[in-house]
Amino acid sequence: MFCRKSILIILFISFSLIWTSEVKDHLLLLDEAKFESALQNKDVMLVLFQSNQCQSCSELQAKMSAAAALLFGSAGSEAPPPRAGLARVNSTASPSLAAQYGIDPNLATPLLKLFKPASSSAAASDYTGPTDTAEAIAEHIRLQAEADSGPQRLTEANLTDALSRQANWLVAFVDAASSSRLDFALEGLKSAADQLRRGKHPVAFGYADARGNEEALAKRLGLSTDSLPVFALLQRDEPSWAIPFSHELNGANLAKFVRAHVVESIAQLRAEAARIHDSPEPLDALNGGVDAHLVASEAAAAPVRRFLAAFLAESGFFFDRRLDGGLLAAPAAKKLGMTLDAIYVRLSPHLLTSGESGMARYPGPLHSSPSLKTFFDRRSLPRLGLLAWHTRRAYMSAPGRSVCLFYTSLPGNWLGESGKLAKRTHAKLAAMIEGRQQLALFALAGEEQQSTEVANFGFDESSSEVNLGCYDAARRRFAMPESDGPDPAAVHKFLDSFAAGTAPQRLRSASVPLADNVEVATANAERLAQLLKDAARVLLIQCDFSTQPCGQSIKEFAAAASEFLSNRNNKNIRFVRVDTKFNDLPGELYYRFEGESAIELTSEQPQVMLLLPSAGLQSSGQAKVIRYERDAVAKAYLLQFLTDNSEFADRAAHQEL
């Protein structure tokens, strides 16, 4: 009797322990039979594949079990468990399941796969999140599930708890009463989430009703709610204010905005931007003394300092380069005449000439990065600046302005003893252009520009002469006859002829062959303008013939031309290629789009466009343009593009010519 009771007690305890163990271990053990059903109703499933031969799998399995307990161990609490799962698969026992995802059944190291069952159970990706602690794994998976299940509604009441769970929140402040605007904002968050979810810096997504109960929250965070939706980044370390998003609204830009403020290196840049400098000299040295920078007083209002720090951090992500700047100590700022409510552009002192102010006050809103960047570009060009790789675009894209460049063999280093000659020459040349600022922007060609810009004008790069070349508003080149030095009389004579339109144009494309009896003709800008004047409809590809992407694109272009022109009814379109490296323009062509002013089309990548001659523009050789929007230049895409647009081209020709 005793033995029978003992056996029953032992069996009861054993079954209890087994049942308790199964309940407490929230890390599922899956095989072929259970795998598909386990993925159902989950937004995210993290699966550990391990084998009997894997000696290092036990440590990661323990972390996974602990992470699962953190996620699902409090299912009875107020916060429901996320639509996520953590599981493990013994690939030795389930070899066909492992092979389904390209995994060796006898793998020697653990392998983590992330599944998104909502899209496809077979669509597995390598897990790139943290594995150092169970807490990090649990937090990453929870945020992945939240991102997939949609943004969380944030209120003043739950914001503190939200920031305690996740350090970074991308939040859309919306008018919840407008369903269309709310859907638009949520779609933007979803698009950003799609691009960010694989990163190692997960961010949570939320929205708040800025026209309803959370209007006070938006204002407390320093956000303007005049035009909704407004996107902003909320961070745990700065809970009293939000970083506003002020760029063109799309998922890619929202993702870049988040990365600009959450990756560690950019956070350090933001901290550097907030560092206080006792004098402007350290800031002057940031750019090697060849540029300008953005400054504010250390005593400036908090919105000024925060916007400056955020702008400098974002600049490397949204603009052609990262901009420099920082805060000046109050005495130094006061000496420069800076007020406490503004950001300033400060020009490098050695580029200033007599009567030229080195400080420009930014008058725009303290939440618009594009506005501040535009102001910087317009105010960072001194009377005689320096053309370098990072300033060239500011000069060459100045709307409606001519640009005149002095070319010298001066050293590129403007600091120390080696820069004395450069500074003296700069002062002499600046004096020569006194009163000419309405004619053009003026700059010295920096040392790194010699190999490209000097060749454009045909100057002798090895000489010690000072040469002057000008681009007019249409970016045609005009060159001063070479001289033995900075001769004021020669400079003034050339500038007078340039202003009068009598200076000789410098062409590089005179030797470019112009072929007519071929399917794809090679042309220069002059010949292209003539084709348009002759009412030809042109499918144009422009690129640098010496580059591999251009060569491959031209092959596809020629193949499309051959097939398209084989039909006699398609003889109304000319196929033309332009080598931007040897074109009359500096690597760029300018066209006029219907209803728009002249638009610059850069030649960094091969570009294709359909040019339609217009009666109103024929005299100048300009044209209406239909842009080929695809990134890849491929025969099939080109033929489809022509099919879609050739009927319009015929109709436009009959109406206007």
Side-chain angles (χ1 to χ4, degrees):
M1 184 73 178
F2 174 76
C3 292
R4 188 181 302 169
K5 286 184 178 180
S6 298
I7 292 172
L8 289 174
I9 292 172
I10 292 171
L11 289 173
F12 175 79
I13 293 174
S14 299
F15 282 120
S16 298
L17 289 174
I18 293 172
W19 180 83
T20 303
S21 175
E22 289 180 348
V23 170
K24 288 185 177 180
D25 191 358
H26 298 281
L27 180 66
L28 304 175
L29 176 60
L30 303 179
D31 55 20
E32 287 93 340
K34 300 177 182 178
F35 193 78
E36 291 294 333
S37 60
L39 290 179
Q40 293 178 2
N41 300 319
K42 298 292 185 184
D43 292 316
V44 176
M45 175 74 83
L46 181 62
V47 180
L48 167 65
F49 286 85
Q50 55 190 145
S51 71
N52 295 341
Q53 290 75 25
C54 177
Q55 300 297 318
S56 58
C57 289
S58 57
E59 181 181 355
L60 185 55
Q61 179 184 334
K63 291 179 183 179
M64 291 275 288
S65 295
L70 290 171
L71 283 171
F72 310 108
S74 56
S77 65
E78 294 182 2
R83 288 167 54 85
L86 279 80
R88 63 187 180 93
V89 171
N90 187 323
S91 58
T92 305
S94 303
S96 60
L97 179 58
Q100 184 178 345
Y101 300 103
I103 299 171
D104 182 0
N106 298 314
L107 64 132
T109 58
L111 182 63
L112 288 171
K113 288 284 186 179
L114 193 64
F115 291 83
K116 301 295 181 72
S119 56
S120 170
S121 62
S125 61
D126 292 334
Y127 174 74
T128 59
T131 58
D132 49 343
T133 65
E135 291 78 9
I137 296 173
E139 181 70 359
H140 187 89
I141 295 303
R142 185 185 62 76
L143 290 172
Q144 291 278 333
E146 285 185 357
D148 283 333
S149 59
Q152 176 182 342
R153 183 160 186 168
L154 296 179
T155 66
E156 188 76 75
N158 68 10
L159 180 60
T160 300
D161 176 66
L163 289 173
S164 69
R165 291 187 287 110
Q166 165 58 26
N168 302 290
W169 284 78
L170 181 61
V171 181
F173 289 83
V174 301
D175 180 359
S178 172
S179 59
S180 61
R181 291 188 179 183
L182 177 60
D183 290 344
F184 174 74
L186 296 181
E187 183 62 30
L189 291 176
K190 181 180 182 300
S191 179
D194 289 341
Q195 300 197 38
L196 287 167
R197 62 172 47 132
R198 289 192 179 188
K200 294 187 178 181
H201 301 275
V203 60
F205 300 87
Y207 70 97
D209 185 3
R211 285 282 186 266
N213 297 332
E214 310 318 317
E215 184 175 4
L217 172 62
K219 292 182 177 179
R220 180 176 70 78
L221 294 172
L223 298 173
S224 171
T225 59
D226 294 338
S227 179
L228 297 175
V230 171
F231 291 82
L233 187 69
L234 277 60
Q235 295 187 301
R236 182 188 299 160
D237 58 353
E238 290 283 359
S240 62
W241 68 285
I243 304 173
F245 173 83
S246 60
H247 306 278
E248 181 182 353
L249 182 56
N250 56 55
N253 279 350
L254 284 170
K256 285 196 292 186
F257 170 70
V258 170
R259 293 189 186 103
H261 292 287
V262 303
V263 297
E264 194 171 318
S265 59
I266 300 301
Q268 292 172 354
L269 290 176
R270 240 173 60 198
E272 175 60 27
R275 189 164 66 89
I276 298 170
H277 300 272
D278 293 331
S279 70
E281 281 70 25
L283 290 170
D284 293 337
L286 282 176
N287 296 307
V290 299
D291 209 349
H293 46 259
L294 292 158
V295 293
S297 170
E298 66 162 318
V304 175
R305 291 183 280 109
R306 290 167 178 166
F307 177 54
L308 176 60
F311 175 84
L312 294 175
E314 293 174 26
S315 63
F317 283 78
F318 287 94
F319 308 126
D320 52 359
R321 67 187 184 93
R322 186 177 68 83
L323 302 178
D324 289 314
L327 299 176
L328 291 179
K334 185 176 181 181
K335 186 176 180 180
L336 292 171
M338 297 168 57
T339 62
L340 304 183
D341 60 346
I343 294 170
Y344 290 80
V345 174
R346 174 178 164 80
L347 298 177
S348 298
H350 68 273
L351 292 180
L352 301 178
T353 56
S354 176
E356 189 175 10
S357 172
M359 301 289 291
R361 184 180 188 273
Y362 169 62
L366 294 174
H367 56 75
S368 173
S369 293
S371 176
L372 179 54
K373 178 60 166 57
T374 299
F375 180 80
F376 177 85
D377 286 343
R378 291 176 178 174
R379 297 299 187 277
S380 61
L381 304 179
R383 181 181 303 174
L384 180 59
L386 290 181
L387 187 81
W389 67 269
H390 55 275
T391 61
R392 182 183 186 279
R393 189 164 186 82
Y395 279 99
M396 301 307 292
S397 63
R401 294 299 305 273
S402 298
V403 179
C404 291
L405 307 172
F406 287 100
Y407 298 93
T408 75
S409 56
L410 296 174
N413 181 11
W414 282 58
L415 304 178
E417 290 296 323
S418 63
K420 288 184 178 180
L421 175 60
K423 293 178 183 179
R424 286 198 300 268
T425 303
H426 178 273
K428 290 180 180 179
L429 297 176
M432 292 181 196
I433 62 172
E434 183 70 34
R436 298 277 188 171
Q437 277 62 52
Q438 296 303 315
L439 174 63
L441 298 170
F442 289 87
L444 280 172
E447 193 172 43
E448 66 243 43
Q449 294 293 326
Q450 298 299 321
S451 61
T452 54
E453 294 294 344
V454 170
N456 286 339
F457 290 94
F459 293 140
D460 184 358
E461 185 175 354
S462 62
S463 74
S464 59
E465 300 166 349
V466 175
N467 299 294
L468 175 59
C470 291
Y471 291 106
D472 67 5
R475 296 305 179 252
R476 294 175 297 177
R477 287 186 291 270
F478 301 84
M480 181 183 76
E482 296 184 17
S483 62
D484 294 330
D487 180 4
V491 169
H492 286 295
K493 181 179 179 181
F494 168 70
L495 291 178
D496 287 339
S497 66
F498 177 67
T502 58
Q505 185 176 353
R506 183 65 61 92
L507 302 177
R508 290 185 64 193
S509 59
S511 61
V512 174
L514 303 178
D516 285 319
N517 300 320
V518 292
E519 291 173 336
V520 179
T522 302
N524 57 14
E526 182 181 4
R527 179 55 186 274
L528 180 60
Q530 187 60 50
L531 285 172
L532 296 173
K533 289 180 182 179
D534 293 341
R537 287 162 296 284
V538 175
L539 185 68
L540 171 75
I541 183 170
Q542 62 169 19
C543 54
D544 181 348
F545 288 6
S546 66
T547 63
Q548 190 275 335
C550 181
Q552 182 60 38
S553 297
I554 287 178
K555 288 181 181 179
E556 294 288 327
F557 189 82
S562 179
E563 182 167 330
F564 187 81
L565 295 175
S566 63
N567 185 335
R568 291 185 177 182
N569 295 327
N570 291 334
K571 300 297 184 181
N572 61 322
I573 292 181
R574 294 292 304 274
F575 288 76
V576 175
R577 63 180 187 174
V578 170
D579 187 348
T580 55
K581 185 176 182 180
F582 292 103
N583 189 49
D584 294 346
L585 306 180
E588 299 158 354
L589 291 177
Y590 290 72
Y591 301 103
R592 184 175 300 280
F593 288 81
E594 186 174 12
E596 300 177 356
S597 59
I599 290 180
E600 175 187 355
L601 299 170
T602 62
S603 59
E604 294 175 357
Q605 294 293 328
Q607 295 196 27
V608 175
M609 62 210 76
L610 181 61
L611 307 182
L612 305 176
S614 167
L617 298 174
Q618 269 183 259
S619 61
S620 62
Q622 292 180 317
K624 295 179 182 178
V625 178
I626 301 176
R627 284 182 273 195
Y628 174 86
E629 301 290 356
R630 292 182 180 271
D631 293 332
V633 179
K635 184 181 98 171
Y637 294 155
L638 290 168
L639 291 173
Q640 185 62 50
F641 173 70
L642 287 168
T643 300
D644 293 341
N645 294 291
S646 59
E647 183 179 343
F648 169 76
D650 287 338
R651 185 167 65 250
H654 289 309
Q655 289 175 348
E656 296 186 340
L657 300 178

